[in-house]
Amino acid sequence: SGTSFSVILGVVGRAVPAEKRSMAMGIASAAGSFGQFAMLPGTLGLIEWLGWSAALLVLGLLVALIVPFVGMLRDRPLPSHGVEQTLGQALREACSHSGFWLLALGFFVCGFQVVFIGVHLPAYLVDQHLAATTGTTVLALVGLFNIVGTYTAGWLGGRMSKPRLLTWLYLLRAVVIVLFLWAPVTEFSAYLFGIAMGLLWLSTVPLTNGTVATLFGVRNLSMLGGIVFLFHQLGAFLGGWLGGVVYDRTGNYDLVWQISILLSLLAAALNWPVSERPVARLQAKAA
């Protein structure tokens, strides 16, 4: 959690001007996606070469590289406008804003879907009589095409309404899942699903965090983005856990797939009414 989006995108949001913020967040998110693409086959190779225990130590050393990299960062000082908000004031302002909660609930759906698919898709494909390696390849494709998706979402977010883009992303997720379940499951259709879901996978991240920054500013972006991301992780827990429970009790994932489709429609509806209009405090400062 301490190295995840809420911290990283908070730093990125403060480091770039507003007109470049969405694009910068997209680039940062795409870098994480490239890590997913590279580390899936890389970790598998380490386990086959060194065994799981030594492979885990190697991964720990790679994570430790974050420490010297962070030491090279220089946070850009924010301009002062007299008396600044306290954390309590920032929380009260966000919690009284309907858009904040709509974004958080929409992000809950994102977490549910990506973790359900990331954890249970390989087993689902095995149940459909595909090789176990197909699931690994599909998840690698998700990571690869997520690079394109998050970068594109960040670019579009600087030119179009981010809440509207979120609505269309969630609707497209529903369409992709429906088509995947409707068509015969083959190796080819699984790879197409991985590509399509990869384009939509974490494209929500720069758009959601960018909207939070637009609404409330960047001074408390890590905290406010962290609260929104907490909802994402609550959904992630539920998606991973519920997939296992449903499978144990029914022998298939049909119910969770159906829930994922319905949640996509719900998230699309939640994001549509969100306005990118900054809160009155920021409008007063701009004036």
Side-chain angles (χ1 to χ4, degrees), residues 94-184:
C95 291
S96 64
H97 195 291
S98 62
F100 181 74
W101 295 112
L102 293 174
L103 289 168
L105 292 172
F107 221 25
F108 174 93
V109 175
C110 178
F112 182 96
Q113 292 174 331
V114 299
V115 172
F116 165 65
I117 293 171
V119 171
H120 295 287
L121 182 64
Y124 175 78
L125 295 177
V126 169
D127 283 354
Q128 302 302 312
H129 311 294
L130 298 180
T133 53
T134 303
T136 302
T137 304
V138 170
L139 293 181
L141 286 171
V142 167
L144 177 62
F145 282 87
N146 191 27
I147 300 170
V148 179
T150 50
Y151 177 85
T152 303
W155 179 78
L156 288 173
R159 290 159 174 77
M160 301 169 63
S161 166
K162 289 183 278 294
R164 297 293 186 272
L165 288 170
L166 284 167
T167 293
W168 286 109
L169 279 173
Y170 286 116
L171 287 176
L172 285 173
R173 281 192 188 183
V175 171
V176 168
I177 295 172
V178 167
L179 291 175
F180 176 60
L181 299 177
W182 172 74

